[in-house]
Amino acid sequence: MITYDPNRDWLRDIRHLGSSWTLVRIARGVLLVGLYASALTALILRFDLEGGRSISGTFSLLGVILGIIMVFRTNTAYERWWEGRKQWGTLVNHSRTLALQLDSLLPPEALDDRSAFARLLGDFALALSGHLRGAVDPSILDRLRADHATDPDDPDPLRGGDGRPVPRAEPPSHVPTLVAGEIIARLQDLRRRGVLDGFDLLATRPHSHGLLDVVGACDRIRRTPIPFSYSVFIKSFILSYAAILPVGLVPEYGYLAVPLVMLIVFALLGLELMAEEIEEPFGLDCNDLPTDTLARSIAADVAGLLRCSSPRSRPAAPKAYSKVF
Amino acid sequence: MITYDPNRDWLRDIRHLGSSWTLVRIARGVLLVGLYASALTALILRFDLEGGRSISGTFSLLGVILGIIMVFRTNTAYERWWEGRKQWGTLVNHSRTLALQLDSLLPPEALDDRSAFARLLGDFALALSGHLRGAVDPSILDRLRADHATDPDDPDPLRGGDGRPVPRAEPPSHVPTLVAGEIIARLQDLRRRGVLDGFDLLATRPHSHGLLDVVGACDRIRRTPIPFSYSVFIKSFILSYAAILPVGLVPEYGYLAVPLVMLIVFALLGLELMAEEIEEPFGLDCNDLPTDTLARSIAADVAGLLRCSSPRSRPAAPKAYSKVF
Amino acid sequence: MITYDPNRDWLRDIRHLGSSWTLVRIARGVLLVGLYASALTALILRFDLEGGRSISGTFSLLGVILGIIMVFRTNTAYERWWEGRKQWGTLVNHSRTLALQLDSLLPPEALDDRSAFARLLGDFALALSGHLRGAVDPSILDRLRADHATDPDDPDPLRGGDGRPVPRAEPPSHVPTLVAGEIIARLQDLRRRGVLDGFDLLATRPHSHGLLDVVGACDRIRRTPIPFSYSVFIKSFILSYAAILPVGLVPEYGYLAVPLVMLIVFALLGLELMAEEIEEPFGLDCNDLPTDTLARSIAADVAGLLRCSSPRSRPAAPKAYSKVF
Amino acid sequence: MITYDPNRDWLRDIRHLGSSWTLVRIARGVLLVGLYASALTALILRFDLEGGRSISGTFSLLGVILGIIMVFRTNTAYERWWEGRKQWGTLVNHSRTLALQLDSLLPPEALDDRSAFARLLGDFALALSGHLRGAVDPSILDRLRADHATDPDDPDPLRGGDGRPVPRAEPPSHVPTLVAGEIIARLQDLRRRGVLDGFDLLATRPHSHGLLDVVGACDRIRRTPIPFSYSVFIKSFILSYAAILPVGLVPEYGYLAVPLVMLIVFALLGLELMAEEIEEPFGLDCNDLPTDTLARSIAADVAGLLRCSSPRSRPAAPKAYSKVF
Amino acid sequence: MITYDPNRDWLRDIRHLGSSWTLVRIARGVLLVGLYASALTALILRFDLEGGRSISGTFSLLGVILGIIMVFRTNTAYERWWEGRKQWGTLVNHSRTLALQLDSLLPPEALDDRSAFARLLGDFALALSGHLRGAVDPSILDRLRADHATDPDDPDPLRGGDGRPVPRAEPPSHVPTLVAGEIIARLQDLRRRGVLDGFDLLATRPHSHGLLDVVGACDRIRRTPIPFSYSVFIKSFILSYAAILPVGLVPEYGYLAVPLVMLIVFALLGLELMAEEIEEPFGLDCNDLPTDTLARSIAADVAGLLRCSSPRSRPAAPKAYSKVF
C-alpha cells in the first residue's frame, strides 16, 4: 500500500501521481483514447461526415447512467477493501487479546508456553498473509512440524487421515487453519494440565475461534470477485461509449471534442481501474493492504505482550510488487 | 459460477462474453430492440410522422430516473448475492471451528466419534446445497437413518411424532435441519458419556446453533424475492420506455436513433437481467454461487481436520446447469 | 404476499399485473393524471395560453431531484420490509434451535414437556403474527390459561399485580410477551426439577430471550412509520409536480405532452405507492410478508423436531385481505 | 411525534400539513423566497437587466449537485433518527427480558424484590427520557435515595467519593447511569443472598449491561450533530442558490420564474429543514421520538410482567412542545 | 470539535462560518478560482478566442459525474468519522459498565482496588486519546510503572522480554494496550485472591477485552486513509475541471461565467475539503472528535461510579489546535 499522509498538500499529492501503478494505467488509457478520438475527429471533419446533427444530449444521458453504474462499482469495491482491512484489524485485536489474557493466566515462569503461543500467534498472521497471496513461507510449516517431533504422543497435525505423514512436496493446503488448530489444541492442553480452568478457557474461545472467522472472511473476499456479468458489462459499456463518443461530440465541438472525450473517459475509466485495484485487497498492488507489515507487527506485539523475546528476527521479504511498470 | 481471474485483461474478459448466459440474453434483447427500432424509424421517416418536435429532453429525464431506479434494483440484488456468499462463508467457519474444537476435545483414539462428526458436518453442507436447489441427495438421509438402525434405543430422527417410520416415498422436508439436529444431539450425548463437560459444550454451542442460522438465512434469501410490485414495475417501465424511445429520438437523429436506442437499452436491460441473475444466488445460473463445490470442500476439510480419512469419495454430480442456450 | 417464481418470463409477469392491488392503484392514478393532463392541454391549446416559452429544462431539474428523493424513500421502505423479513427468519431460527436443543436435552419419554414446548413455540409465532395485525387468536390465551388451571400453585400469568384475575373482556395487551414469558418460566422450571443444569439453561438463554427481541423489533417497525413530515412532503411534491407538469410540456410538445406526463407520473407515483405498500410489512397487503404462513410452518416444524404430534390441526384462517379492489 | 396511520389517504394527510411545525417552517421559507423572487423579477424586467442570456443550464447542474448533497444530508439524519428509535426498541427488549427472567428466577412471594426491580426498570426508562431532554424528574433521585435511607450499611450511590452526601442543589449529573448501577448492584446482591446463582447472574448480565449501552448510544446521537462545516456549507449553498436562481430563470421564463423558483426551493429547503428536525430525535419537535410515552409504557409493562401493581400512577407530564407556532 | 447547538438559527450559524478552519480554506480556494476565472475570461473575451461554440452541455455531464463521485467521497469520510465516534461511545460504555460491575463486586472497603481501577480506566481513555494524536502523556507510563515498583514480584509490564527494564528514552510504543493489559491482569489477580469467582470474571471479560477492540478500531481508522489512487484521482479531476470550466462557460455567459464557476467550485471543492477534514477524526482539526474531553469525562465518571475521589485533578491541556489560520 502506498502510505501517505493525508495532509492536504494537494500539489505534493498530485506530484506523486506517477508512483501509483493504477494512476499510470489510467493516464495511458486516457492518452490512447485521446489518440483514437483525434484520428476519428480528423476523419469526420475531413470527409464531412458529421451530418449536421447534434447528439450530445443523448450522450449526456448515457454518461449519467454510466456514472451512476460506476458509483455502484466503486461502492462495492471499496466495501470489499474496507472489509478486508477490518478483518485484519480484528486479527490484530484477537491476537492482542489472546496474548494479554494468556499473559495474565500463565504463571510468569511458564516460558515455554509463553514463547509457544507468541510464536503461533505470529505465525498465524504471517501464514494468513502468505496464504492470501498464494505462497506461505514454508518455515511456518517446519516450525509446526518441529513441535510435534518433540512430542511423539501427540498426533501430527500435518498427517492426513490415513496415518502417513504428508511429504514435504505435498504440503497441506490451508496453513492458517493448521496454525489456528494448534492454538486451539494447546489451549485445551493447558486446561488438561490444570493451568486453565473451564472459565478461563471459555473466555479465550471467542478469540481463538475468531482467528478462523478472519481466515474465512479473507478467503471469501479473495475468492469471490464481482460477478462475471457485471465485470464484462461495465467494460463493454465503457469501451463502446468511449468508441462512439467522438462521433457524438465532433459535430458540435470540432477539435475541442478531443480534450472533452479525454476528460469524460478519465472519469469513467479511472473509476473502473481504481475499483479493479482495490476490490482484491490482499495482493501486491500499490494500494493493496500492507498485510505483510501488519503480520510482522502482530508477531512483534504478541511477543512483547507475552514477555518473551521475539523468537527469531524475521528478515523482511524483498518487496515483490507483482505489477511493475 | 463462472470463476475468472479479475486480472485486468480487458480484451480477454470481453472475448469470454459469450460464455455467460445472461450476457447472451442481454445481447438478444438489445438486438430485438434494435430490429424494432429500425422498423419504427423506417415507418416514421417514410410516412413523415415525426411532426418536427424534438422531445429528447423529456426522454433524458425519464432515462435518468430509470437509471436511478436500476441502481436501487442492482444494489438490493447484489446485497442478496453477497449475503448468500457470506452465509456460506459462515458455514465454512462454523464447520472448521467445530472440527478443530472437537479434534482438541476428543481423545485421538475416538475414531468413531471423529468420523461421525466429519460425516455429519460434510453432509450438512451437501444437504444445504441440495436443499437450496430443490433436490437433496437421498444418500444423506440413508446415512442418517443407518446411524439409528444400529442404535435401537435412540428415537429415529426421521420418524414423525406418532411413532410410525416415515416411508421413503415421503421424505422429511427439511434435511439440513435434521442433520444439524443430529449434530446437536451427538454433542449432548458426548456430554452424557462424560467426554465433554459443561464448559466444553457451552463453547461448541454458538457453532452448532450457527448451522441452523445459516440454513434459515439461506432459505430466507431463496424464498423472498424482491416484492412482486417492484419486479413488474421495473419491467413495465423498461418495456414502455424502450417502446417509445425511437419515437422520441427519430425526429432529431434520423437513422442514428437506432444505435442510440440500442445503447440505452443495453444499459437499462443489462442492469435488470444481471440483477435477476444474482438475486437468487443458490441456483444453477452461470453466476450463482458454487455451493456444491463449497460443500465438497467443507466435507474434505472437516475430515482432514478431524484426522479421519474422508468417508467415501463422492463423485461430483454432473454439472446440470438449468439454463442452456 | 404474492409469491411468484422470479423465473424471467417477462410477459407472464406483466400479465399478472392486475393481481397486485398496488399496481392497480398506480394504473388508476396514472389514468387520472392522464385525464387531467388532457383537459389542461386542450384548455391551453384552445385558448393559446402557452406563451411561447419552453420551460421543460427546469422541469427536468425538478424531476431529477424528485427521482433522487424517491430513491431515498424506496430505500428506507425496502429496508423496513427486509428487516421485517429478517426478524421472522430469526424467529424461525430461534424456534428450530430451541426445539432441537430441548429435543437433545429432554429424555425421550418426557412427552408432556415436549408437547408443551412445541405448543408454546408454535403459539408464540401465531400470537406474534396476530399481534402485528391487531387481532390475536383468543384460543392462544385460553391455552395459556388452561396450563395454569391445572397447576394451582403457580401464579397465573394473566392476572394483574393485585391478584384479581383479568376478566376476559379485558385481555392482556401483549400476548406474544406472555407466551415468551411462559417459555422462559418453563425452562427455569426444568432446571428447578433437575432436568437441565446451569450450563444447559445458559445455552438456551440467547434463543429464548431472542424471541423477545423479535417481538420488539417487529413492534418497532410497525409502530414507527417514516416521519410525518417526509410523508406529507413527498406527497405534496409529487402532486404539485404532476399538477403543473402539463403547463411545462404543452408549449413544446402539444398533445404529445399527455403520454409523456403519464409516463413521468408512472415513475414517481409508482415508487411512492410501492414504498407505502412495503414500508409496513406485517399487514395484509398483497406484498406484505406471509407471516401467518410462516407461523403455521414454525408450529409444524417445531412439533416435528420435538417428536410430538402436532397438537391440533389448525385450520387456516380465511384469507382476509384488508384491501380489496 | 405526530402519530399517523400511514393508510394512504393522501388528501387527509395533506390536509394535516399544518399540524407539523417543520412543514409550516418550510411553507414560510418558500413564501419568503417567493416574495424575494417576485421583487427581483420585477426589478430585472423593469430595468431590462436580463442581458438576453439564458443560463438555466448551469443552474440545472447546480440543482442536481445540490439535490445529491441533500440526499446525503437526508440519509445521515434519517439514520440517526432510526438508530435512536432502535436504541429505544432495544431498551424495551432489555427491560422486558430482565423482567421476565427475574419473574422466573424470584420466588412468587419475594414481593419486595419484584417491586424494587419493577420500579428501577421503569425509573431507568423515565430517567433516560428526561436526561435526553435535559431535565430528569427529581422524584427518581428521591426514590433512589430513599432506598438507601432504609439500608444504612449500603453506601449511598448519590454520595461522591469523599463521603459527603451530595446536596440536593447539586444533583449528580447522570441519573440513568445511577439507576442502572443500582440494578446491577441489586442483581449482585441477589446472588450474595443466594437467590440467584452464578449461571443465573451470567444470563442477566447482557441485559443489565445493555441498559448502559443504550444510554451511551443515545448520548452519542444527542451530543454529536453533523459536523459544523457540513451544516454551514449546506445552508450557505442553499441560500446563495436561492438568491441567484431568479437571475438565472427570469431571462428565459419572465414572471413564470417565480413559481418555478418556489418549487425548487421547496424541494431543497424542505429536505434541509426536515433533516434538521429528525437528526436530533430525542427532543420535543413534532417528529421526535415519543420517548416519554415509550418510557411510561415500559414502566407499566415491567410492573405487569413482574406481577406487582404499578408502583404509583404517574400523571402524564403536560405536553410541553418546545416549538410552538 | 466545534460544538454548536443545531438550533436552526441559520443566520447565526452562517455568521460563525469564519470560526471553522475548513470553511476558511474553502472560501480561499473559491476566491483563488474566481481570480483565475476572471483573468481567463478577460483573456478570452479580449482576444475573441471563444470560437462561438457553446460547450456547457458536456460540462454539465462532467459536473454531474463529479458530483456523484463527491458523494461517494463524502459518504466514506463521514462513515469513518461516525465510526470513530461510535468507537469512543463504546469506550464510554465499557468503562462505565466495568466501573459499575466492579463497584457491585468489590467490597465497599476495598479502596485500593477501587482507586486502582478508577485510575486505570481513566488512564486508558487518556492514553488512547494521546496515542491517536501521536503523543501520550508520559505521566500515564509513570503511574503504570509506579504500580509495579511497590510490587516487586509482579513482572514489570514495561520490561521487554529479555528482562532489562525499558529505559525512559525508549518508551513502549503502544501505551493503551499496556494499560488494558494491566486492567486484564488485575481482574485475573482479583480472582486469584478470591474476590471474584469464575462467573464474575466471565461477566467482565467482554468489557475488558472490548477496550482492546476500541484501540484496534481507532488505529485502523487513523492508519488507513482512503486509497491513494482515489485521493489523487479526485484532486486531479476537480483541478482540471475547475481549470477548463471558464473556457466552457465564457462563450455562453461572458463575465457572468465568473460567479457561476465560483459557485460550482464551491460545491465540489467544499465537499472534498470537508471530507478531508473529517476522514481522520482523531486529530486536532476543528471538526475532529473531542477525544480529550471525552477521555477526561470518562476518568471523572469512573471515579465517581467506583465511589473513590478522582485521583488527581488533571489540568486540561492547553488547546493546541494544529491548524491555525
Side-chain angles (χ1 to χ4, degrees), chain D residues 65-77 226-242 267-273 275-276 279, chain E residues 4 10 13-14 17 23 26 74 78 263 266-267 270-271 274:
Chain D
I65 293 179
L66 200 39
I68 296 173
I69 295 173
M70 289 322 295
V71 165
F72 162 72
R73 175 85 171 107
T74 303
N75 274 327
T76 55
I226 197 172
F228 184 67
S229 304
Y230 282 95
S231 175
V232 176
F233 173 78
I234 290 173
K235 285 172 187 156
S236 316
F237 200 171
I238 293 181
L239 268 193
S240 45
Y241 186 69
L268 300 173
L269 190 69
L271 287 177
E272 167 65 17
L273 288 182
E276 276 184 356
E279 78 174 334
Chain E
Y4 71 104
W10 281 44
D13 278 5
I14 291 180
L17 197 146
L23 292 169
I26 297 173
T74 302
Y78 180 80
L263 205 54
F266 173 66
L271 287 177
M274 289 190 303

Side-chain angles (χ1 to χ4, degrees), chain B residues 4-18:
Chain B
Y4 71 105
D5 185 23
N7 70 351
R8 296 151 198 197
D9 181 352
W10 281 44
L11 290 185
R12 199 213 44 176
D13 278 5
I14 291 180
R15 234 183 308 121
H16 284 72
L17 198 145

Side-chain angles (χ1 to χ4, degrees), chain A residues 3-305:
Chain A
T3 50
Y4 71 105
D5 185 23
N7 70 352
R8 298 150 196 198
D9 181 351
W10 281 44
L11 289 185
R12 199 213 44 175
D13 279 5
I14 292 179
R15 233 182 310 122
H16 284 72
L17 198 145
S19 63
S20 162
W21 187 70
T22 292
L23 292 169
V24 170
R25 286 186 72 208
I26 297 173
R28 284 184 190 167
V30 169
L31 284 179
L32 218 75
V33 169
L35 286 179
Y36 164 76
S38 306
L40 199 63
T41 305
L43 218 76
I44 292 177
L45 292 178
R46 160 80 57 109
F47 297 100
D48 219 20
L49 302 170
E50 34 180 317
R53 292 179 190 263
S54 152
I55 53 171
S56 68
T58 307
F59 278 91
S60 276
L61 167 60
L62 281 170
V64 171
I65 293 180
L66 200 40
I68 297 173
I69 294 173
M70 289 323 293
V71 165
F72 161 73
R73 174 84 169 109
T74 302
N75 274 326
T76 55
Y78 180 80
E79 266 161 39
R80 297 162 71 88
W81 183 80
W82 192 234
E83 193 195 348
R85 184 61 186 86
K86 274 191 178 164
Q87 291 296 335
W88 274 81
T90 305
L91 175 57
V92 171
N93 295 353
H94 283 322
S95 303
R96 280 192 197 145
T97 306
L98 276 175
L100 281 178
Q101 203 168 353
L102 285 167
D103 178 48
S104 78
L105 287 168
L106 294 173
E109 63 277 6
L111 290 181
D112 277 7
D113 287 325
R114 283 168 178 275
S115 68
F117 279 109
R119 183 175 54 71
L120 283 167
L121 286 170
D123 276 357
F124 178 80
L126 290 166
L128 180 58
S129 171
H131 171 76
L132 293 172
R133 291 177 176 173
V136 179
D137 179 356
S139 70
I140 295 171
L141 267 185
D142 291 347
R143 283 197 288 279
L144 211 56
R145 206 185 301 270
D147 261 9
H148 288 272
T150 63
D151 178 3
D153 291 340
D154 200 14
D156 183 348
L158 305 180
R159 282 184 324 164
D162 50 1
R164 280 172 306 131
V166 176
R168 183 59 180 279
E170 181 193 72
S173 60
H174 214 288
V175 183
T177 303
L178 290 179
V179 179
E182 183 71 14
I183 292 172
I184 291 174
R186 274 185 178 267
L187 286 171
Q188 193 65 40
D189 189 52
L190 285 180
R191 187 175 174 202
R192 223 171 268 131
R193 284 153 46 196
V195 184
L196 307 187
D197 66 2
F199 291 104
D200 299 331
L201 198 57
L202 212 53
T204 65
R205 295 282 198 201
H207 304 287
S208 57
H209 297 169
L211 297 178
L212 286 167
D213 291 343
V214 170
V215 179
C218 290
D219 261 349
R220 165 169 54 79
I221 294 172
R222 190 172 65 103
R223 288 200 193 146
T224 316
I226 198 172
F228 184 68
S229 304
Y230 282 93
S231 175
V232 176
F233 173 77
I234 290 174
K235 284 172 187 155
S236 316
F237 200 171
I238 294 181
L239 268 194
S240 46
Y241 186 69
I244 63 173
L245 193 52
V247 183
L249 299 185
V250 166
E252 201 164 344
Y253 303 138
Y255 278 104
L256 258 177
V258 175
L260 289 177
V261 165
M262 285 171 74
L263 205 54
I264 293 171
V265 167
F266 174 65
L268 300 173
L269 191 70
L271 287 177
E272 166 66 17
L273 288 182
M274 289 190 302
E276 276 183 357
E277 184 184 28
I278 65 170
E279 78 174 335
E280 205 283 73
F282 304 118
L284 285 165
D285 288 354
C286 296
N287 278 313
D288 284 346
L289 298 171
T291 51
D292 202 58
T293 314
L294 278 168
R296 269 162 220 290
S297 125
I298 289 173
D301 272 20
V302 160
L305 294 175

Side-chain angles (χ1 to χ4, degrees), chain D residues 24-235:
Chain D
V24 171
R25 287 185 72 206
I26 297 173
R28 283 184 191 168
V30 170
L31 284 180
L32 218 75
V33 168
L35 287 179
Y36 165 77
S38 306
L40 199 64
T41 305
L43 218 77
I44 292 178
L45 291 179
R46 161 79 55 108
F47 297 100
D48 220 17
L49 301 170
E50 35 181 316
R53 291 180 191 262
S54 154
I55 56 171
S56 66
T58 308
F59 278 90
S60 275
L61 166 60
L62 281 170
V64 170
I65 293 179
L66 200 39
I68 296 173
I69 295 173
M70 289 322 295
V71 165
F72 162 72
R73 175 85 171 107
T74 303
N75 274 327
T76 55
Y78 180 80
E79 265 162 39
R80 296 163 72 89
W81 182 80
W82 191 235
E83 193 195 348
R85 182 63 186 85
K86 272 191 179 163
Q87 291 296 335
W88 273 82
T90 305
L91 176 57
V92 171
N93 295 352
H94 283 322
S95 303
R96 280 192 196 146
T97 305
L98 276 175
L100 281 178
Q101 203 169 354
L102 285 167
D103 178 47
S104 78
L105 288 168
L106 294 173
E109 63 278 4
L111 290 181
D112 276 9
D113 287 325
R114 284 168 178 274
S115 68
F117 278 109
R119 183 174 55 70
L120 283 168
L121 287 170
D123 276 358
F124 179 81
L126 289 166
L128 180 58
S129 170
H131 171 76
L132 293 173
R133 290 175 177 175
V136 179
D137 179 356
S139 71
I140 293 170
L141 267 184
D142 290 346
R143 284 198 288 279
L144 210 56
R145 206 184 303 270
D147 261 10
H148 288 273
T150 63
D151 178 2
D153 292 340
D154 200 16
D156 183 347
L158 306 178
R159 283 183 324 164
D162 51 1
R164 281 171 306 130
V166 176
R168 183 59 180 278
E170 183 194 67
S173 59
H174 215 288
V175 182
T177 303
L178 290 179
V179 179
E182 183 71 15
I183 291 172
I184 291 173
R186 273 185 178 268
L187 285 172
Q188 192 66 39
D189 190 51
L190 286 180
R191 186 175 174 201
R192 224 170 267 130
R193 285 155 44 196
V195 184
L196 307 187
D197 65 3
F199 290 104
D200 299 331
L201 198 57
L202 212 54
T204 66
R205 296 280 197 204
H207 305 286
S208 57
H209 297 168
L211 297 177
L212 286 166
D213 291 343
V214 170
V215 179
C218 290
D219 261 351
R220 166 169 52 80
I221 294 172
R222 189 171 67 103
R223 288 200 193 146
T224 316
I226 197 172
F228 184 67
S229 304
Y230 282 95
S231 175
V232 176
F233 173 78
I234 290 173
K235 285 172 187 156

Side-chain angles (χ1 to χ4, degrees), chain D residues 161, chain E residues 106-118 306-309:
Chain E
L106 294 172
E109 63 278 4
L111 290 180
D112 277 7
D113 287 325
R114 284 168 178 274
S115 69
F117 280 109
L306 279 163
R307 288 158 221 240
C308 53
S309 55

